Amino acid sequence: MITEVPVAEADAGPYGITVGPDGALWFTLVHAGRIGRLTPYGACEQYALDSADCGPTVITPGPDGALWFTRYRDHRIGRITTDGQAVSFAVPTAEGGPFGIAAAADDALWFTLTNADRIGRITTDGQVTEFPLPVDHAFPSAITAGPDGALWFTLNQGNAIGRITLDGEVTLHPLPTPQAAPVGLSAGADGKLWFVEIGAGQVGHIDLDGAITEFPLPDRSARPHAITVDSAGTCWFTQWAGNSVGSITADGRIEEYALPSPGSEPHGLAVGVDGALYVALETGAVARLKV
């Protein structure tokens, strides 16, 4: 069953969503410059940032008990405590466009710079380092910590999956499908990295040795966007054009769940402490799916 909880005005977002250390859902209101908090009981709060036009995008829990997020439009990394106190830090590369962000084994946050072909690292006290990638105009997008301790990321326009070690060594793995345009990725329970291909309408996984497998979706034009993994090891992903949420098992079995409202624009998603799947709908709501 899928229900929708209104959390903001229709043109505010949300875009990214994650579970905070307090057990609540935290989400970005990308078009309004705010961060939202939604409890499993439906109570919602919002925290205004210092700029309504900063474009908060992807959000993740940090090793310091706060939430960290990218500010795509003003090229900063944000931090917000669970009581709503927010600060931000500039990245060295002007107009870098930070997008994906994830905590790593070194107790720092690593992020992508979509406009600069770089991967960034920020410590919890705000010290930033950047690592250039060996490609041009590749649009690094999502990033996640892998089971090997390295960071893995998608190259949306570079049509590849990348890996960067904690000391900055980069390896790139080209995708088999041309113009697949990978976006979201997540570490699976099977030791693989799972990702979605918005351009090809496929879900794929990559082994730690670089072997790639791809699974075509029932609707190749559904434009899958983000992906996450539940406690049972099932991967869940949003389908922006398909206005739906999909699931895929380790052996490639796919199921789809239509969202109740047309044109919902589903983006980020996260599994809540109650075991339900929560989906950020850019039309001002969060959807809850309990199978």
Side-chain angles (χ1 to χ4, degrees):
M1 183 174 102
I2 301 179
T3 56
E4 293 182 8
V5 180
V7 294
E9 60 271 31
D11 58 353
Y15 188 92
I17 190 168
T18 194
V19 178
D22 57 354
L25 281 301
W26 288 77
F27 54 90
T28 58
L29 291 167
V30 62
H31 303 304
R34 301 195 298 267
I35 301 296
R37 178 182 182 271
L38 179 67
T39 72
Y41 306 103
C44 185
E45 300 174 272
Q46 294 183 20
Y47 304 97
L49 301 175
D50 56 3
S51 168
D53 299 320
C54 65
T57 307
V58 177
I59 187 167
T60 192
D64 56 350
L67 287 301
W68 290 75
F69 54 95
T70 50
R71 293 169 47 144
Y72 182 80
R73 293 187 189 135
D74 69 351
H75 317 289
R76 302 178 71 88
I77 303 299
R79 176 186 185 270
I80 188 168
T81 61
T82 53
D83 61 357
Q85 302 301 308
V87 295
S88 67
F89 306 91
V91 301
T93 299
E95 308 296 315
F99 181 81
I101 189 168
D106 60 352
D107 287 335
L109 289 300
W110 289 67
F111 57 92
T112 58
L113 289 162
T114 56
N115 299 337
D117 292 313
R118 291 171 177 259
I119 302 297
R121 175 185 184 270
I122 184 169
T123 62
T124 53
D125 61 356
Q127 301 301 308
V128 181
T129 308
E130 293 181 355
F131 302 91
L133 300 176
V135 287
D136 294 321
H137 310 297
F139 207 83
S141 300
I143 189 168
T144 194
D148 56 352
L151 283 299
W152 292 72
F153 55 93
T154 52
L155 291 170
N156 177 258
Q157 296 302 302
N159 209 54
I161 304 298
R163 176 183 183 271
I164 185 169
T165 64
L166 297 181
D167 58 4
E169 181 182 348
V170 176
T171 307
L172 302 182
H173 302 281
L175 294 178
T177 302
Q179 300 180 327
V183 185
L185 87 163
S186 184
D190 54 1
K192 302 172 183 177
L193 286 303
W194 286 76
F195 56 91
V196 291
E197 300 174 352
I198 196 170
Q202 298 185 134
V203 175
H205 63 61
I206 181 169
D207 297 341
L208 297 183
D209 62 3
I212 296 171
T213 303
E214 296 170 317
F215 303 94
L217 297 175
D219 178 4
R220 299 292 291 275
S221 65
R223 298 187 69 77
H225 181 81
I227 189 166
T228 194
V229 183
D230 67 17
S231 59
T234 298
C235 293
W236 294 85
F237 54 94
T238 49
Q239 298 190 113
W240 184 78
N243 198 51
S244 62
V245 175
S247 67
I248 183 168
T249 58
D251 59 358
R253 181 169 52 86
I254 296 170
E255 294 187 32
E256 295 177 315
Y257 304 84
L259 292 167
S261 299
S264 297
E265 298 186 43
H267 289 292
L269 70 176
V271 178
V273 294
D274 58 354
L277 184 75
Y278 290 84
V279 184
L281 308 180
E282 206 168 334
T283 50
V286 170
R288 181 183 185 273
L289 168 60
K290 186 69 173 177
V291 178

